[in-house]
Amino acid sequence: MIELIRAHQLNLMLLLCGACAILAFLVFHTRFLPKTRKWILILMELMALLLLWFDRLAYIYAGDPSELGGIMVRVSNFLVFFLTPGMAFGLTLYLMDWLKNEGKLKITPKRIKFSLLATVIGMILAVIAALTDLYYYFDASNLYHRGNGFIIAYIIPVLCPIIQFTVVKHYRNIFSRLVYISLILYIFVPVICGIIQIFAYGISIVNMSMVAVSISLYVFTYLDINNTVEHAHKIEIQNMEIEKQRMQRLFEQTATAFVSAVEKKDDYTKGNAVKIAEYARRIAELAGKDEAECEKVYYAALLHDVGIIGIPDRVIKNEYNPKKRDRELIKQKPLIGKEILSSITEYPYLSVGAQYSHERYNGTGYPDGLKGEEIPEIARIIAVADAYVSMTTKKRFREARPVFIARENLIKGAGAEFDPEFANLMIKIIDHDSSDQMQNNLSDVETELSCGAYREHITVGIPIENNMTRITFECVCQTDEAHRFSAPAVILFDSYDRRVHDNQKAIEAYHYLEYGEIWFDENTITTSARKIEITRIEKHANTGSGYEIVMGRFGDHLKVKLTSPDYEKEIIAALDNEAKSSYLALTGENCRLENITVQQTGDTVSAEDIPRIADASSFTDRMESDIPNIQINRTRSEHTAGIELREKLKLMFHTMSLPGANLVWNCPYIILFTSKDGIVGGEEYREFAFVKLYGENEGDDTYAKNVLTMKKKTDFPGWEVWKNRIRKGFECEISLERKGGHIVLIAENLGIYIENITDIRDVPDKIYVALTGDQVALTDIRIKQ
């Protein structure tokens, strides 16, 4: 290694000199260094440059007997010995600056002062050595030789770094890790090389090492600056984020306060703004909007109805039947909202949401009658969320509509009142929420009920299902001389909202159907059930105040066992058909029901548990063609066998919805699938598409990608007529065409045109088609390959 350095040291010196010059230039243009430290580093780099430059010249002119050679060899050697302690002098200044600025030391440590003095003495000795033969001398040929005091020249370069190290070690916490490493290298590498050079005459590894560590000092300082700037940048970003969050909270609080003030205009709208905003954000998320866009949608929806603050109270409270003049005032709400929010110039989307959220996709909205994509996207999203919340919220003039009625209205309004894309996304949200929190929730059943007159108060309906349910309660009589009769009773019924109704409008709105009333004695009243029969009754001695009901269902038959202190009896009720829902509600007369508990027993009802008291209602008594007729009482409760789809397939059949079916999705469905046995739900079952004939695809994208197009043709009679036609029955036709994993399904029925394109990812050998539906009978099913 030594010989290699000796052979190439002049080139190495030149390379290092160039590096020092470049670094001095870079330091000069560095902006993030303190001014004093910057000039100290420039001084150190220039001293390193001159040290190595003149050391190189000393080698070049060594042995040159010319006059120029004599001058250059003497000047060069002088500067080498002068600048060597000068490098230690520069490092001492560097340490002083660190201790003063980063260390906040008001008094310079004595060791630093001594080191500074020692380096000055070293430079003075270099001047003396140049005038004497203390460190070196030259012969007649201008060749360099070590003098008797040569070893003195190494005392200062070795002693000062040791002193400097003690200072660096003592104040370790002041220096960053990178700067600390660079100082250790700067101190010890030249010392080690100096010891080596004592025994390796003829090479300048000390000077080259000093230049090298000077370069490293800059490099590590630069890296430290980089880290410092990056750290400062992170802190700045954090501070900005904190400030942003603070401003966001302020904006949220201001917006919420504004909404609260607006909602005081109408108690029936309290909390609606937040609900609308949440649904609007979820629609935006499903539509693929980024977080920033979703936030814009949220706040635009939150404040979209602020214009109501400018509408007179008398108009708001007469919203159901407003006069013509009042209707015009209501239509000013979006314009008032725009005017209020347009002053918030930082968020222009707020006024856009307020101005256009009452526009309708078909152009029937207000204030400007815009249609389709003329309406800003943010307003089209808000319109869907607003409509859903409005439908499912109680108004001054009506009760809240059930979720599935709101869902049906969104289906009907898709492409008419509402943007079809966002309406379909809202339907997906409804379906997701319904699966997470089923409407038949037992937690909302009242735990106490006080009844004066009969049916004065009635609990919410408790679903009677295939799983057995137990209800227990205690009854406290509340009789007097005028009201001597006291007893609890139960009501069997069906209703969209699980409530018993006696108002005609509510009966129609919630499709209320009462099956009968049952008491805990011999009395029973049958109303709309086909039959209610007491199958067992036993009278026994009064045993307290405890009551128990155990109930279950199989198909269209219910079984209810009632136990009271005086009686134990069982009844069986036969409903019109299996599609009907059934609920039991508690009520009474002159009594108080306490400690009402409802829980499922975990037992499942089978056909053997409930003897039939009436024949099953069948609506498939029609012609049977290629495959058996089916009756689907509940969503996908029955399916046809799978029909293999090879290339082309046409299905023709008669469909009729069951009595009591009132929703647009009470119609036929088509399933594309594969399984080993060709049966829906069979072994290795995979479902590719699930298409409903009113124009919805509920399949997921696990195994295939589906794109559905639904169009209402000019002969579409409207949704109510469409439902009535299905109730009466009509002929359906569905065409399918397959090319590998690409399947096109086309159905055109009663003015609804559907095209669904399915692209299967992992194409199986066999693909099947099956028919199913919800509360519908499919008969005379014909297959044409």
Side-chain angles (χ1 to χ4, degrees):
M1 177 64 74
I2 296 295
E3 292 305 319
L4 182 65
I5 294 173
R6 193 191 306 276
H8 298 284
Q9 71 172 336
L10 292 179
N11 292 331
L12 286 172
M13 288 177 174
L14 188 61
L15 178 65
L16 291 170
C17 286
C20 285
I22 293 170
L23 292 180
F25 177 80
L26 292 175
V27 172
F28 179 78
H29 289 281
T30 299
R31 297 180 181 179
F32 299 106
L33 279 171
K35 186 176 181 181
T36 303
R37 192 173 307 162
K38 176 178 177 178
W39 285 109
I40 291 171
L41 281 172
I42 291 173
L43 174 66
M44 293 174 72
E45 295 299 334
L46 290 177
M47 284 195 297
L49 166 63
L50 294 173
L51 172 65
L52 210 55
W53 180 262
F54 284 106
D55 195 15
R56 184 172 182 274
L57 290 179
Y59 279 98
I60 291 173
Y61 286 101
D64 185 349
S66 66
E67 182 179 354
L68 177 62
I71 294 170
M72 292 303 297
V73 78
R74 285 167 176 77
V75 171
S76 296
N77 277 281
F78 162 68
L79 288 172
V80 167
F81 281 94
F82 181 83
L83 291 172
T84 298
M87 294 292 291
F89 177 81
L91 181 60
T92 304
L93 294 177
Y94 184 81
L95 291 175
M96 289 174 65
D97 182 71
W98 262 95
L99 295 172
K100 179 182 177 182
N101 291 290
E102 273 70 13
K104 307 298 181 184
L105 297 183
K106 296 180 180 179
I107 300 175
T108 303
K110 292 181 179 179
R111 285 170 289 176
I112 289 293
K113 291 180 178 179
F114 178 80
S115 176
L116 194 64
L117 178 62
T119 55
V120 173
I121 292 172
M123 288 186 282
I124 293 171
L125 286 174
V127 175
I128 294 171
L131 302 175
T132 64
D133 294 335
L134 181 62
Y135 291 168
Y136 54 86
Y137 64 91
F138 301 95
D139 59 18
S141 300
N142 279 334
L143 288 172
Y144 169 90
H145 296 279
R146 288 178 177 178
N148 294 329
F150 173 77
I151 196 68
I152 299 172
Y154 283 86
I155 294 175
I156 302 299
V158 172
L159 178 63
C160 286
I162 293 172
I163 296 170
Q164 292 163 348
F165 171 71
T166 63
V167 175
V168 171
K169 188 70 176 175
H170 185 268
Y171 295 101
R172 168 67 181 88
N173 293 334
I174 293 175
F175 304 100
S176 66
R177 186 177 64 87
L178 291 173
V179 171
Y180 181 76
I181 292 171
S182 67
L183 290 173
I184 296 299
L185 291 174
Y186 199 98
I187 289 169
F188 286 106
V189 170
V191 172
I192 294 169
C193 290
I195 295 170
I196 295 172
Q197 186 161 336
I198 294 174
F199 305 98
Y201 184 72
I203 59 173
S204 293
I205 57 173
V206 173
N207 292 340
M208 284 191 287
S209 68
M210 291 179 73
V211 172
V213 293
S214 295
I215 294 172
S216 73
L217 182 65
Y218 168 77
V219 171
F220 279 95
T221 302
Y222 181 80
L223 292 174
D224 180 66
I225 293 170
N226 220 24
N227 288 345
T228 302
V229 171
E230 186 176 348
H231 180 66
H233 180 65
K234 285 181 179 178
I235 292 174
E236 184 180 5
I237 293 296
Q238 289 174 357
N239 290 337
M240 289 175 64
E241 189 65 30
I242 291 170
E243 181 63 19
K244 179 183 175 183
Q245 291 172 0
R246 191 185 72 80
M247 294 300 294
Q248 184 73 10
R249 286 195 300 271
L250 179 61
F251 179 67
E252 288 176 3
Q253 291 165 4
T254 303
T256 303
F258 198 3
V259 167
S260 297
V262 170
E263 289 180 342
K264 287 188 181 298
K265 294 276 288 184
D266 186 358
D267 292 339
Y268 287 90
T269 64
K270 190 173 182 180
N272 281 8
V274 173
K275 290 180 186 177
I276 294 166
E278 289 290 352
Y279 281 121
R281 176 158 54 191
R282 290 174 69 184
I283 293 170
E285 288 170 353
L286 287 177
K289 306 297 180 187
D290 60 31
E291 186 176 351
E293 286 294 318
C294 292
E295 285 298 299
K296 289 180 180 179
V297 170
Y298 176 86
Y299 287 109
L302 186 69
L303 297 170
H304 83 284
D305 226 12
V306 297
I308 200 171
I309 205 166
I311 305 298
D313 289 349
R314 63 174 178 79
V315 177
I316 295 170
K317 292 176 180 177
N318 193 31
E319 188 179 353
Y320 176 64
N321 189 25
K323 298 176 181 177
K324 181 177 179 181
R325 183 181 63 183
D326 291 344
R327 282 198 296 270
E328 293 304 314
L329 284 173
I330 290 171
K331 289 183 179 181
Q332 293 299 308
K333 181 172 64 172
L335 298 176
I336 296 169
K338 174 201 170 186
E339 186 177 349
I340 293 170
L341 297 174
S342 60
S343 59
I344 308 176
T345 55
E346 289 295 317
Y347 305 111
Y349 55 86
L350 297 177
S351 62
V352 171
Q355 182 177 1
Y356 298 111
S357 58
H358 290 276
E359 298 288 355
R360 292 296 173 256
Y361 201 72
N362 56 8
T364 59
Y366 59 90
D368 298 327
L370 302 181
K371 64 169 59 177
E373 295 190 3
E374 294 174 355
I375 307 167
E377 185 179 62
I378 198 168
R380 282 180 272 144
I381 293 173
I382 295 169
V384 172
D386 183 28
Y388 176 71
V389 172
S390 178
M391 285 187 281
T392 54
T393 300
K394 182 178 180 180
K395 298 286 188 181
R396 183 173 282 102
F397 51 87
R398 64 160 173 81
E399 294 295 319
R401 293 191 176 107
V403 169
F404 53 87
I405 294 294
R407 184 185 190 278
E408 183 184 47
N409 287 336
L410 287 172
I411 291 169
K412 293 177 180 178
E417 294 179 75
F418 313 117
D419 184 309
E421 178 189 357
F422 301 132
N424 288 330
L425 292 177
M426 187 67 232
I427 290 166
K428 290 184 183 297
I429 291 170
I430 295 168
D431 293 343
H432 177 271
D433 291 351
S434 297
S435 64
D436 285 350
Q437 185 177 7
M438 295 299 292
Q439 187 176 1
N440 293 340
N441 187 354
L442 300 181
S443 64
D444 58 357
V445 178
E446 296 87 339
T447 57
E448 292 186 354
L449 192 74
S450 182
C451 303
Y454 179 55
R455 295 177 60 149
E456 180 182 5
H457 294 106
I458 306 171
T459 66
V460 68
I462 302 162
I464 308 174
E465 297 175 322
N466 191 236
N467 295 315
M468 296 288 286
T469 302
R470 177 182 287 112
I471 306 167
T472 61
F473 62 91
E474 294 177 358
C475 180
V476 179
C477 294
Q478 296 179 327
T479 57
D480 53 32
E481 291 186 1
H483 306 91
R484 295 181 179 277
F485 180 78
S486 172
V490 300
I491 303 170
L492 302 179
F493 68 98
D494 182 18
S495 177
Y496 283 173
D497 65 347
R498 293 171 56 202
R499 290 285 180 183
V500 173
H501 296 283
D502 56 11
N503 176 277
Q504 188 58 38
K505 284 187 177 180
I507 289 172
E508 293 174 0
Y510 295 104
H511 292 261
Y512 177 73
L513 183 67
E514 189 166 307
Y515 301 131
E517 297 166 277
I518 308 170
W519 283 264
F520 287 80
D521 53 20
E522 301 95 338
N523 296 302
T524 298
I525 294 177
T526 303
T527 46
S528 295
R530 283 196 290 161
K531 187 177 184 181
I532 295 179
E533 183 177 299
I534 300 175
T535 57
R536 185 173 69 86
I537 184 166
E538 294 180 7
K539 183 173 173 49
H540 49 73
N542 190 303
T543 57
S545 61
Y547 288 74
E548 181 184 74
I549 301 170
V550 178
M551 59 189 185
R553 172 175 179 166
F554 187 85
D556 58 355
H557 274 48
L558 316 178
K559 183 177 182 179
V560 182
K561 177 183 176 183
L562 301 95
T563 303
S564 72
D566 301 310
Y567 285 91
E568 182 176 302
K569 77 174 182 179
E570 290 182 0
I571 68 102
I572 294 176
L575 310 184
D576 280 348
N577 58 68
E578 189 179 334
K580 295 288 187 182
S581 295
S582 52
Y583 300 95
L584 181 148
L586 299 175
T587 185
E589 184 176 355
N590 300 321
C591 62
R592 180 177 178 80
L593 309 186
E594 299 177 341
N595 301 320
I596 302 171
T597 64
V598 182
Q599 62 183 66
Q600 292 188 333
T601 65
D603 298 325
T604 302
V605 182
S606 64
E608 291 74 23
D609 296 324
I610 306 181
R612 296 197 66 87
I613 60 172
D615 294 333
S617 299
S618 175
F619 299 92
T620 58
D621 188 17
R622 296 185 81 256
M623 180 185 295
E624 191 167 274
S625 296
D626 296 331
I627 57 176
N629 299 339
I630 60 170
Q631 179 173 314
I632 307 111
N633 294 307
R634 294 177 180 273
T635 304
R636 295 184 63 163
S637 59
E638 297 289 339
H639 309 82
T640 64
I643 306 158
E644 186 176 355
L645 175 60
R646 296 184 178 91
E647 293 182 357
K648 291 185 178 181
L649 178 67
K650 183 176 286 188
L651 297 176
M652 296 156 287
F653 55 91
H654 182 272
T655 179
M656 181 180 71
S657 59
L658 303 183
N662 297 295
L663 302 168
V664 293
W665 54 80
N666 298 144
C667 67
Y669 305 160
I670 306 100
I671 302 172
L672 291 178
F673 69 98
T674 186
S675 67
K676 270 192 172 183
D677 52 9
I679 297 174
V680 173
E683 187 178 355
E684 297 184 11
Y685 179 76
R686 285 185 288 155
E687 189 167 295
F688 305 125
F690 177 36
V691 180
K692 301 181 178 182
L693 275 194
Y694 62 84
E696 184 180 1
N697 187 340
E698 281 199 6
D700 59 32
D701 292 335
T702 305
Y703 302 113
K705 179 183 178 182
N706 286 278
V707 177
L708 184 140
T709 303
M710 188 275 274
K711 295 178 182 177
K712 297 171 187 172
K713 303 193 74 176
T714 54
D715 60 342
F716 175 64
W719 286 109
E720 292 305 314
V721 175
W722 191 86
K723 289 193 294 183
N724 286 331
R725 289 286 302 276
I726 292 181
R727 289 191 194 103
K728 294 177 182 178
F730 72 95
E731 293 294 319
C732 282
E733 186 175 300
I734 301 165
S735 300
L736 298 104
E737 185 172 346
R738 173 188 175 187
K739 292 182 180 178
H742 182 79
I743 300 169
V744 178
L745 180 154
I746 294 176
E748 186 174 340
N749 299 287
L750 298 180
I752 296 289
Y753 173 85
I754 298 171
E755 180 183 83
N756 188 78
I757 299 174
T758 304
D759 286 297
I760 300 171
R761 294 188 174 87
D762 184 10
V763 183
D765 293 334
K766 292 184 178 182
I767 297 173
Y768 298 96
V769 181
L771 296 175
T772 183
D774 183 10
Q775 298 190 40
V776 67
L778 307 181
T779 57
D780 190 18
I781 305 170
R782 289 146 284 156
I783 303 169
K784 184 176 180 182
Q785 294 279 5

